[in-house]
Amino acid sequence: MSEAPPPPYRWFDLHVLRTERVSPSLVRVTFGGDHLGEMVTGGRDQRFKLFLPRPGQDAPVLPDDLGVGWYAQWRVQDPAVRAVMRSYTVRELRHDPHELDVDFVQHGRPGEGTGHSGPASEWSRTARPGDRVAILGPTAEENGGVDFQPPAGTDWVLVTADESALPAAAGILGWLPAGTPAKVFLEVAHPDDVTDLPTAADADITWLIRGPGAAPTLDAVRAARLPAGTPYAWIAGESGTVRALRRHLVGDRGFDRRAVTFTGYWRRGATEEDLLAELG
Ligand SMILES: Cc1cc2nc3c(=O)[nH]c(=O)nc-3n(C[C@H](O)[C@H](O)[C@H](O)COP(=O)(O)OP(=O)(O)OC[C@H]3O[C@@H](n4cnc5c(N)ncnc54)[C@H](O)[C@@H]3O)c2cc1C
């Protein structure tokens, strides 16, 4: 008999309810499913694992045993057949009715964003109502899948994100307590990707439109006047940019390295399988 995955996570069979092009770079896919009522989000940058079918399959091919050893089994499945596994963020989870929104960057399409395309981006572009996926998602608010964790004593927060981390930045802004000072730098490919992000925080949001040449977020943060007091930084987006930002904050600005949460959401020239393979 298969053991359950470690709590507080479970597998969900989901299907597409509808899709919406929310901006030039982002497609929002809304999922439904029988047990979605059991999914719970910790808010902020809540991540989960998404499993997609490959072209020609009508459902993702998952390991036979979905217990605690599922990952080792997924790795030895035929890479041409097994489900495409990717990391995504809860954009919104609603429970009346039970619906999950996920925003997918449309990368690598001519005139629609940077980089190369990939199976998840392509899947979202052509997703239709009824299309089946699976996710490994949280069932309790405290679930280890939320990285935005400002320590006690934080006076203000710094958030930087590109469009892949825009759902997470939106979640963080929606979660921040009223009046929290926040400096926010959001980098997108297209002026029409700029959107309203509701927040009760005292947020100073700078939108940066990426062009050819230097990474605009790094230049903007380098040039910024930052508030006084104890900062907490959350940085996500392309790995090289994220590393450079962290170096700047810790090395040049004197941020305590323990108060900088940094996550490469993707790396130029590498697929998510390449990144997992490096982890061994
Ligand atoms: C914790 C976490 C949460 C994430 N949440 C989201 C989310 O909510 N929405 C979202 O869209 N992404 C999110 N991402 C990023 C997403 O997992 C990656 O972009 C992933 O590589 C997309 O898979 P793919 O199959 O489209 O491309 P892959 O097959 O992984 O990569 C193919 C090629 O595309 C390039 N590439 C990948 N992503 C991008 C990009 N964003 N822009 C330009 N080029 C790219 C790669 O460098 C590679 O050359 C998240 C990542 C993490 C770690």
Side-chain angles (χ1 to χ4, degrees):
M1 201 178 87
S2 92
E3 291 172 71
Y9 277 80
R10 63 156 286 170
W11 293 88
F12 296 89
D13 288 322
L14 302 182
H15 56 270
V16 175
L17 294 171
R18 57 187 177 276
T19 67
E20 180 192 1
R21 172 68 75 141
V22 287
S23 79
S25 299
L26 290 173
V27 166
R28 178 161 303 156
V29 181
T30 301
F31 296 99
D34 282 345
H35 298 281
L36 197 51
E38 291 175 42
M39 187 167 170
V40 174
T41 168
R44 295 162 274 177
D45 54 336
Q46 176 72 65
R47 68 180 116 90
F48 66 90
K49 287 283 181 214
L50 171 68
F51 298 82
L52 298 169
R54 292 180 183 275
Q57 299 173 340
D58 64 1
V61 176
L62 299 174
D64 291 334
D65 183 345
L66 292 177
V68 281
W70 69 267
Y71 180 62
Q73 284 205 26
W74 176 84
R75 287 189 62 172
V76 296
Q77 283 181 284
D78 180 350
V81 174
R82 70 182 179 199
V84 175
M85 177 173 71
R86 293 287 183 268
S87 302
Y88 276 83
T89 305
V90 173
R91 180 64 177 84
E92 192 175 337
L93 178 67
R94 293 176 294 276
H95 282 304
D96 189 19
H98 304 304
E99 292 186 346
L100 169 66
D101 288 343
V102 183
D103 286 357
F104 290 79
V105 174
Q106 303 301 289
H107 55 87
R109 307 279 312 162
E112 293 184 17
T114 50
H116 298 283
S117 189
S121 173
E122 284 296 310
W123 176 89
S124 65
R125 190 176 59 83
T126 55
R128 296 285 174 270
D131 286 357
R132 294 166 61 189
V133 307
I135 70 167
L136 188 55
T139 55
E141 268 189 42
E142 294 295 327
N143 58 62
V146 174
D147 290 340
F148 185 88
Q149 304 279 358
T154 297
D155 292 320
W156 65 277
V157 300
L158 174 70
V159 170
T160 77
D162 68 9
E163 53 271 64
S164 71
L166 198 52
I172 289 167
L173 281 165
W175 177 89
L176 279 174
T180 310
K183 287 284 268 187
V184 183
F185 296 87
L186 302 174
E187 178 182 317
V188 291
H190 196 280
D192 291 342
D193 291 325
V194 175
T195 185
D196 188 32
L197 297 175
T199 183
D202 180 11
D204 173 13
I205 301 180
T206 304
W207 288 91
L208 301 154
I209 312 301
R210 189 169 38 246
T217 303
L218 186 56
D219 292 343
V221 173
R222 277 196 181 122
R225 278 174 63 98
L226 300 180
T230 305
Y232 168 70
W234 179 94
I235 310 166
E238 197 281 322
S239 291
T241 305
V242 163
R243 277 200 312 275
L245 279 162
R246 177 175 181 264
R247 262 198 311 274
H248 167 65
L249 294 177
V250 174
D252 305 335
R253 299 275 198 170
F255 279 42
D256 180 341
R257 62 181 63 241
R258 289 165 304 182
V260 180
T261 300
F262 62 106
T263 314
Y265 272 23
W266 61 282
R267 192 197 297 165
R268 203 169 302 287
T271 68
E272 200 164 325
E273 279 93 0
D274 297 334
L275 301 179
L276 284 172
E278 282 178 15
L279 295 174

